[in-house]
């Protein structure tokens, strides 16, 4: 079963108009999982297109950094520095090629003291010309290995494409990589979803918002929530099967974040789907939960 990073709830009762609600605790450094992002494999990149060999290596570094930045932006991980990774590689006489095996990568992660090891490979880079303009497409794969089990937790194929440019240069390859940035962040959010609670409906604060239904959710900027992020709303039901009890998640709607609160713990979100079901559930006292969506 896919592991999820749960948002833990504090015991302190907040002074909210809805009594009995608990807010997520601030995540301490000790609670954050450690992740090592290995240098991307760029062996498949043709150095005759827009790069020389040194340019290919620099491009691999840039692709790796995009993933590092995405993890940092989530604010829920400690990303191991490259120097620490290189040190263990040298001390243990590891080659990057050795780490393509998930079990070997997991062993390497244990030496680093991480929960996850991230590997990346640039699968393809193609440059085309149309109407005297060049365009580059870059495809890459990112996979995440769970160090505790040695299993591949998730694998994502991503593609980025540059806008047409008049000049054939390395800049169009980097533009394609920039195009992939949002997809990397969305992919990681799908693998490590944010989870919280839908607390209550908020009265509109302006004439502009009167036609919208806004709700307060217990996911804030402190764990990487940003304006425009999407969330599923769901309720849980217990199902008995084969003598065991299972929790089934029933999706009833969708939200889009309109504002993140200054406290870092909460956000205001607009109901974009399932408004009637959400309101009815809240009126009935049903506990509603939210999970980030890609």
């Amino acid at each position: 079963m896919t592991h999820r990073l749960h948002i833990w709830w504090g015991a302190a009762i907040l002074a909210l108009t809805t009594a009995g609600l608990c807010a997520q605790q601030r995540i301490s450094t000790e609670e954050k999982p450690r992740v090592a992002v290995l240098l991307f494999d760029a062996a498949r990149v043709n150095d005759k297109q827009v790069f020389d060999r040194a340019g290919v290596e620099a491009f691999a570094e840039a692709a790796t950094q995009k993933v590092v930045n995405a993890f940092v932006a989530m604010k829920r991980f400690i990303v191991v520095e490259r120097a620490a990774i290189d040190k263990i590689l040298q001390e243990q006489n590891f080659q990057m090629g050795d780490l393509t095996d998930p079990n070997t990568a997991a062993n390497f992660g244990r030496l680093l003291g991480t929960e996850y090891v991230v590997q990346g490979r640039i699968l393809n880079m193609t440059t085309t010309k149309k109407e005297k303009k060049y365009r580059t497409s870059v495809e890459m794969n990112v996979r995440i290995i769970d160090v505790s089990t040695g299993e591949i937790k998730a694998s994502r194929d991503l593609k980025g494409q540059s806008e047409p440019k008049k000049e054939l240069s390395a800049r169009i390859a980097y533009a394609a990589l920039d195009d992939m940035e949002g997809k990397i962040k969305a992919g990681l959010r799908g693998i490590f979803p944010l989870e919280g609670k839908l607390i209550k409906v908020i009265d509109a604060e302006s004439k502009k918002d009167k036609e919208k239904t806004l709700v307060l959710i217990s996911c804030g900027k402190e764990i990487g929530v940003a304006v425009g992020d999407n969330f599923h709303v769901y309720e849980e039901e217990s199902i008995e099967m084969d003598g065991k009890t299972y929790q089934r998640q029933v999706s009833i709607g969708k939200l889009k974040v309109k504002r993140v609160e200054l406290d870092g713990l909460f956000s205001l979100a607009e109901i974009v789907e399932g408004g009637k079901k959400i309101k009815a559930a809240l009126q009935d006292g049903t506990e509603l939960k939210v999970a980030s969506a890609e």
Side-chain angles (χ1 to χ4, degrees), residues 3-77:
H3 172 71
R4 286 189 171 184
L5 298 174
H6 293 286
I7 296 174
W8 300 99
W9 302 93
I13 303 301
L14 293 181
L16 296 172
T17 55
T18 303
L21 294 173
C22 297
Q24 68 188 56
Q25 289 181 341
R26 298 180 185 274
I27 301 176
S28 69
T29 300
E30 290 76 15
E31 294 173 318
K32 293 182 180 181
R34 288 166 57 86
V35 59
V37 182
L38 304 183
L39 180 64
F40 273 39
D41 177 2
R44 296 188 185 184
V45 177
N46 185 344
D47 59 8
K48 299 297 190 293
Q49 291 190 52
V50 294
F51 297 123
D52 55 18
R53 198 63 232 169
V56 171
E57 293 174 2
F59 189 73
E61 289 276 3
T64 307
Q65 192 60 44
K66 290 289 186 186
V67 176
V68 169
N69 293 345
F71 271 104
V72 171
M74 292 173 76
K75 299 183 179 180
R76 291 181 287 150
F77 297 88

Side-chain angles (χ1 to χ4, degrees), residues 191-204:
I191 296 167
F192 299 103
L194 295 171
E195 294 183 332
K197 291 184 179 180
L198 193 158
I199 299 171
K200 63 177 182 176
V201 174
I202 299 294
D203 294 332

Side-chain angles (χ1 to χ4, degrees), residues 90-267:
Q90 294 173 6
E91 289 179 351
Q92 301 297 321
N93 199 26
F94 273 111
Q95 299 296 321
M96 291 302 294
D98 299 332
L99 302 180
T100 56
D101 175 67
N103 286 322
T104 305
N107 289 334
F108 182 72
R110 293 183 192 106
L111 292 172
L112 282 169
T114 66
E115 280 73 28
Y116 301 101
V117 171
V118 181
Q119 298 174 322
R121 173 176 291 184
I122 301 173
L123 302 173
N124 193 26
M125 188 176 77
T126 58
T127 302
T128 58
K129 183 179 180 181
K130 185 177 180 180
E131 296 177 355
K132 297 182 179 181
K133 290 186 177 181
Y134 298 92
R135 168 175 279 173
T136 291
S137 296
V138 175
E139 299 173 48
M140 71 183 190
N141 172 267
V142 177
R143 69 178 187 175
I144 297 173
I145 295 168
D146 187 329
V147 170
S148 65
T149 63
E151 296 178 350
I152 298 173
K153 175 180 172 62
S155 180
R156 292 285 192 277
D157 288 331
L158 304 168
K159 183 177 181 178
Q161 185 170 261
S162 68
E163 293 296 322
K165 304 288 184 181
K166 291 183 178 180
E167 296 180 1
L168 178 61
S169 70
R171 284 186 298 176
I172 58 175
Y174 281 96
L177 188 59
D178 290 341
D179 180 56
M180 203 183 297
E181 189 166 7
K183 299 170 186 176
I184 294 171
K185 292 179 179 178
L188 291 182
R189 183 68 65 84
I191 296 167
F192 299 103
L194 295 171
E195 294 183 332
K197 291 184 179 180
L198 193 158
I199 299 171
K200 63 177 182 176
V201 174
I202 299 294
D203 294 332
E205 298 177 348
S206 65
K207 293 181 179 180
K208 181 181 178 181
D209 291 333
K210 282 202 176 290
E211 296 180 359
K212 302 175 182 178
T213 302
L214 300 179
V215 294
L216 185 70
I217 63 173
S218 62
C219 298
K221 64 181 180 180
E222 196 166 85
I223 53 173
V225 175
V227 172
D229 284 353
N230 298 307
F231 282 82
H232 292 293
V233 180
Y234 66 92
E235 55 186 3
E236 291 185 339
E237 64 174 0
S238 297
I239 295 179
E240 299 289 336
M241 186 173 67
D242 299 329
K244 295 181 179 180
T245 302
Y246 298 89
Q247 292 299 117
R248 176 173 177 254
Q249 295 179 348
V250 182
S251 178
I252 64 170
K254 294 181 180 180
L255 311 173
K256 182 179 285 291
V257 174
K258 305 298 290 185
R259 189 180 80 200
V260 291
E261 301 288 78
L262 294 177
D263 56 27
L265 301 176
F266 300 98
S267 297

